[in-house]
Amino acid sequence: MDSANGQAWDGGRPALPQEGRIVQEFGTVKGFPVGLAQEARTYACGRLNKVLADTQILYGLYKKHHWLMRGATFYQLHLVLDKHAGEQLALVDALAERVQTLGGVAVGDPRHVAELTTVPRPPDGVEEVPAMLSRLLEAHEAILTDAHDAAARTAALGDDGTNDLLVSQVIRTGELQAWFVAEHLVDTPLVRA
């Protein structure tokens, strides 16, 4: 017997399964004292979750293409795609934490992410390298277009924190990564001019 609560000791086994009630539904925003109107926080959470879903997909694409890279530039692309994946993963965390900071619920389950994303699903197999790089650029452009619009609209609502996250992290990281990837699709001679 456990003398503290009068129950039999079970040898330290976890009490499973555990089921609980939902304490906040996805799409809702609870009141937080962050100096922003409910309307601004609700809008920002919706837009951030969209960018978050697409960013999670872009992270997955970077990892997939990193693993499947081939050809003469294998080593360089293998390294740069892994570096970009790590940077996208950092953005995923920053976006999710901003949603939570505003009182929302960040999208996290991959199945839910798949429902929200607008980034097209790639083939299950291995594509040629230029197609993989092109797919990354298309995903970047979709995210950047959405992030530019969301940044302007959240700024108009007085949400400087969300605007700053979108501009200083999502947009600047995405633009730089798109540049690095796009330069690998320029058809230039390797040996002679």
Side-chain angles (χ1 to χ4, degrees), residues 7-35:
Q7 294 181 353
W9 184 65
D10 69 0
R13 288 179 288 183
L16 296 175
Q18 295 279 334
E19 292 187 30
R21 62 183 176 85
I22 302 294
V23 295
Q24 184 179 355
E25 293 289 338
F26 182 80
T28 65
V29 177
K30 61 184 175 182
F32 266 177
V34 294

Side-chain angles (χ1 to χ4, degrees), residues 43 47 61-62 75 78 93 110 115 127 143 165 176 183:
Y43 180 80
R47 292 304 297 268
L61 286 175
Y62 265 115
Y75 184 71
H78 182 74
D93 197 51
E115 293 170 2
E127 294 178 283
I143 292 168
L165 169 64
L176 189 63
E183 288 300 324

Side-chain angles (χ1 to χ4, degrees), residues 56-120:
Q56 289 181 69
I57 296 297
L58 179 58
Y59 163 75
L61 286 175
Y62 265 115
K63 287 307 285 188
K64 176 182 179 174
H65 297 335
H66 155 78
W67 298 320
L68 303 180
M69 197 45 53
R70 303 190 172 184
T73 58
F74 164 81
Y75 184 71
Q76 297 86 346
L77 284 171
H78 182 74
L79 294 179
V80 78
L81 297 184
D82 198 38
K83 177 182 181 289
H84 286 190
E87 293 166 353
Q88 288 299 316
L89 188 57
L91 289 176
V92 164
D93 197 51
L95 289 161
E97 288 180 354
R98 182 65 186 168
V99 172
Q100 296 300 129
T101 299
L102 294 172
V105 178
V107 61
D109 184 282
R111 294 160 295 196
H112 192 188
V113 167
E115 293 170 2
L116 297 179
T117 190
T118 57
V119 175

Side-chain angles (χ1 to χ4, degrees), residues 172-190:
R172 288 195 178 143
T173 299
E175 288 174 344
L176 189 63
Q177 288 183 349
W179 171 47
F180 272 71
V181 172
E183 288 300 324
H184 284 276
L185 289 175
V186 175
D187 187 16
T188 59
L190 293 176

